[in-house]
Amino acid sequence: MSTPSAPRIRLLVVDDSAYNRRNIADIFLNVPEVEVIGKAADGEEALRLTTLLKPDVITLDLEMPRMDGFTFLRILMSRQPTPVIVVSSYSQKENVFKALELGALDFVTKPDRQITPDATELREQILSKVLVVKNWRPQALVPHGLRRPAPSGPWTPEGGRPTPVPAPPVFQQPRQLVAIASSTGGPSALLEIFSKVPPTSGAGIVVAQHMPDKFTRTFAERLDRRGPVRTSEAQDGDRVGLLTGFVCPGRQCMEVIRNNSNDYVLRVGPGAQTDRYVPSADRLLKSAASAARERCIGVVLTGMGDDGVEGARAIFNNGGTVIAESQETAVVYGMPAAAVRAGVVHKVLPLPAIAEFIAGLP
């Protein structure tokens, strides 16, 4: 008796270019796990086909006639939350993060308007991100676009600060060093965490988020607007101070060391052959464990794979605290699950509780 095969992932392709629709669909011609069930040229057609066909995942262009990708996302997430992979050009960085805040699962970048058959790397990225849907958590698909940006004050749709937050008059060391590892689903999770940190927090935050290099600076700027943590893309030699945040640049790795003045200083450079991921969460968390020891808080958020497990182990063994996002809220329960299985986690918390924990650091 033969074993029943796993159900195929049902994919809807949405792009106003017929050429792109065909080439995206062709990626899956010989992929038995995926079935392309429809194609749409704009948001209106995509909504109709989504209701009719109920796809498991959607690839989405943002710039379309009649109904653009943003309007489509807003309506989709309110009616029928579905994993969406945004396929956008390098020049549309702000649009990509706006889409993530509206509920998109992840994104793939294209160098120009057209997706050609010989764009091997791009086609492989689209394939891998669609296959991630096998591991996603339906209840975790919640838009982050219209949230309160801070514990108090009026909300703004773009998540900007309600009032200017003055910088500390002089550089101050953080009382706690928070090192965060994240991948698929991480941008939205990080936006929530950074929006909850109050001006009274004693934390400095460093982040290794798996993301293309052309997007990390824009993402850091987005985080900077969410609350009082002054956040930027890390540069070699930056000092981690009180209420400062740093995002590791794409295609680079970041470490935290102590200088002669005992400050936390960042070292940023190319990944090594031993780094399985670049940016490497393991490398960042290991260095944070060595630099901050019992004052280090390691956080492993949503993502595929197991990056961050060895770094979490180092924090655990050096007297710090390790938190893993729970299956309840992780969009992809891969990285946090690996840390839990390894036995190097002190707390397993849903995302809102992680945000509250970091917000409450003295």
Side-chain angles (χ1 to χ4, degrees):
M1 184 174 179
S2 61
T3 304
S5 58
R8 301 175 76 184
I9 297 171
R10 294 159 51 81
L11 170 65
L12 175 66
V13 177
V14 184
D15 198 301
D16 66 331
S17 164
Y19 182 79
N20 284 347
R21 292 196 299 273
R22 182 176 68 251
N23 282 325
I24 292 175
D26 285 350
I27 294 171
F28 303 95
L29 283 177
N30 298 311
V31 180
E33 300 98 325
V34 181
E35 176 187 8
V36 178
I37 58 170
K39 303 172 189 175
D42 58 58
E44 288 185 6
E45 185 180 10
L47 281 176
R48 180 177 61 81
L49 290 178
T50 299
T51 302
L52 180 67
L53 302 175
K54 295 181 171 48
D56 299 314
V57 61
I58 299 167
T59 62
L60 178 67
D61 182 29
L62 294 175
E63 298 180 19
M64 298 181 293
R66 293 207 297 177
M67 180 186 290
D68 64 21
F70 303 116
T71 305
F72 168 75
L73 271 171
R74 289 188 185 96
I75 298 173
L76 175 73
M77 293 304 168
S78 65
R79 293 182 183 176
Q80 187 178 323
T82 305
V84 172
I85 309 297
V86 170
V87 182
S88 180
S89 65
Y90 287 131
S91 61
Q92 301 298 316
K93 301 179 185 68
E94 283 289 348
N95 286 347
V96 164
F97 293 115
K98 182 178 177 182
L100 291 174
E101 291 178 25
L102 290 172
L105 176 66
D106 208 340
F107 67 95
V108 176
T109 57
K110 53 187 177 183
D112 50 38
R113 184 78 177 137
Q114 300 297 333
I115 300 172
T116 59
D118 60 350
T120 304
E121 184 178 353
L122 173 59
R123 292 164 67 89
E124 288 176 351
Q125 288 182 30
I126 294 173
L127 171 61
S128 66
K129 295 201 186 272
V130 167
L131 291 175
V132 161
V133 172
K134 291 187 296 184
N135 301 285
W136 80 291
R137 308 298 306 164
Q139 66 270 36
L141 204 65
V142 179
H144 290 252
L146 296 179
R147 291 183 180 271
R148 295 174 69 90
S152 63
W155 79 220
T156 59
E158 293 303 315
R161 294 190 180 109
T163 55
V165 178
V170 294
F171 176 86
Q172 300 177 56
Q173 281 195 1
R175 294 182 289 277
Q176 307 280 351
L177 180 65
V178 179
I180 302 178
S182 55
S183 187
T184 304
S188 293
L190 289 163
L191 284 163
E192 175 157 346
I193 287 172
F194 275 68
S195 72
K196 295 286 180 65
V197 179
T200 54
S201 172
I205 305 176
V206 289
V207 176
Q209 162 68 44
H210 298 161
M211 183 177 288
D213 58 306
K214 293 180 173 64
F215 285 77
T216 43
R217 176 172 296 181
T218 302
F219 180 54
E221 292 169 353
R222 199 96 182 175
L223 291 175
D224 182 66
R225 296 197 292 269
R226 297 298 284 196
V229 180
R230 293 161 293 134
T231 307
S232 60
E233 183 185 57
Q235 297 183 47
D236 189 56
D238 280 338
R239 290 190 301 169
V240 183
L242 185 67
L243 284 175
T244 62
F246 294 94
V247 176
C248 181
R251 300 183 68 180
Q252 301 281 304
C253 284
M254 180 168 71
E255 295 178 306
V256 185
I257 65 170
R258 291 272 200 168
N259 66 6
N260 293 334
S261 301
N262 218 29
D263 296 328
Y264 298 120
V265 178
L266 299 180
R267 289 288 175 259
V268 179
Q273 289 186 346
T274 54
D275 292 317
R276 295 177 301 133
Y277 302 91
V278 179
S280 169
D282 273 330
R283 192 196 283 201
L284 175 62
L285 268 61
K286 282 181 181 178
S287 68
S290 177
R293 302 189 69 82
E294 71 278 0
R295 294 182 179 274
C296 183
I297 312 293
V299 180
V300 183
L301 297 176
T302 173
M304 285 287 290
D306 61 357
D307 193 21
V309 171
E310 293 308 313
R313 190 187 311 278
I315 295 171
F316 191 95
N317 291 338
N318 277 276
T321 301
V322 180
I323 302 170
E325 185 176 0
S326 69
Q327 190 171 5
E328 175 187 347
T329 60
V331 174
V332 180
Y333 193 57
M335 286 165 50
V340 172
R341 287 195 303 269
V344 295
V345 171
H346 295 93
K347 298 175 182 288
V348 179
L349 301 174
L351 181 62
I354 294 175
E356 293 298 336
F357 180 92
I358 295 173
L361 290 175

